Amino acid sequence: MNFKAKLSERIGMDDIHEILRLTQQSDKRKQELYDLVIGEDEKIGYHAAWIFTHFSPEANKWLYEKHDELIDEVMVCEHGGKRRVILNLLYKQPLADPPRVDFLDFCLERMLSVKELPGVQSLCMKIVYELCRTIPELTQELKTTLEMMEGELCPAIRSVRKNILKAIPKGKSLQKY
């Protein structure tokens, strides 16, 4: 199967299952799919990243070594849907300790941006919390920032904000690998 040709058009769950089957036992095919995620074509990259979100938790571990590349890609990505899906992939991975400062800054900026998609804002809030959770000074700054985020928040943002504010005193992770 030519992944690029398949992903250049609209795909459905049958296509996703077929690609999952083809990549399941082949690191070469996973790499071929991954190369499309970070490639030039945002639409194909979005579809390829979406397929990775359907990988099992065990198969998703293959992406762990691509962590920094995914961060680099999400920080320059112009496609809101692709940005959301890559953030979702990153959220499913163990996050670096200490955090990459440029990625932390990116997520802080995007979680506060009213121009950003709610899905991206929500994932950025969750990632910022996970990155700050073990550093008391950063956790306190995050708490202050979240407390200032009142007003006209969409339900998704309001819910994530509430859950993080509840989790901060406990220091518990929100992640479920």
Side-chain angles (χ1 to χ4, degrees):
M1 170 187 287
N2 180 339
F3 288 156
K4 189 172 186 173
K6 177 60 93 176
L7 298 177
S8 66
E9 52 195 52
R10 189 178 176 121
I11 60 171
M13 285 310 295
D14 290 340
D15 301 314
I16 291 171
H17 289 300
E18 182 180 359
I19 293 171
L20 290 174
R21 186 182 51 73
L22 292 171
T23 58
Q24 186 175 19
Q25 301 298 324
S26 172
D27 285 350
K28 183 179 176 192
R29 296 305 306 255
K30 285 178 188 147
Q31 184 64 47
E32 184 182 338
L33 185 63
Y34 176 78
D35 289 342
L36 295 174
V37 172
I38 60 171
E40 302 263 333
D41 190 308
E42 295 281 1
K43 178 184 172 189
I44 291 173
Y46 168 58
H47 288 160
W50 188 43
I51 289 170
F52 275 107
T53 66
H54 290 82
F55 273 36
S56 70
E58 191 60 37
N60 187 46
K61 289 180 181 176
W62 183 87
L63 281 173
Y64 289 7
E65 69 184 49
K66 311 288 188 191
H67 189 79
D68 281 330
E69 284 180 278
L70 287 170
I71 289 173
D72 292 339
E73 180 65 22
V74 79
M75 291 194 308
V76 297
C77 180
E78 298 292 328
H79 188 282
K82 180 180 172 187
R83 193 167 40 252
R84 178 185 53 80
V85 174
I86 293 174
L87 285 167
N88 189 20
L89 292 172
L90 288 166
Y91 184 67
K92 293 178 179 180
Q93 296 183 1
L95 298 170
D97 189 16
R100 259 182 68 172
V101 176
D102 59 341
F103 184 51
L104 178 61
D105 289 343
F106 169 85
C107 288
L108 279 166
E109 178 186 319
R110 296 302 172 121
M111 77 178 218
L112 297 171
S113 173
V114 294
K115 295 179 182 176
E116 192 57 82
L117 297 171
V120 170
Q121 282 184 283
S122 297
L123 283 162
C124 284
M125 287 171 73
K126 291 177 180 182
I127 289 170
V128 165
Y129 171 68
E130 296 299 338
L131 291 172
C132 294
R133 189 171 54 83
T134 59
I135 306 167
E137 298 83 10
L138 291 178
T139 304
Q140 187 55 47
E141 284 186 42
L142 174 61
K143 182 179 179 193
T144 302
T145 302
L146 291 172
E147 288 171 343
M148 291 188 310
M149 285 180 69
E150 292 183 359
E152 303 280 329
L153 299 175
C154 74
I157 304 298
R158 202 170 33 247
S159 175
V160 171
R161 178 183 167 271
K162 182 182 90 172
N163 289 338
I164 292 172
L165 287 171
K166 273 200 269 183
I168 286 175
K170 301 171 189 170
K172 294 172 96 175
S173 176
L174 300 173
Q175 287 179 309
K176 296 173 180 82
Y177 297 108

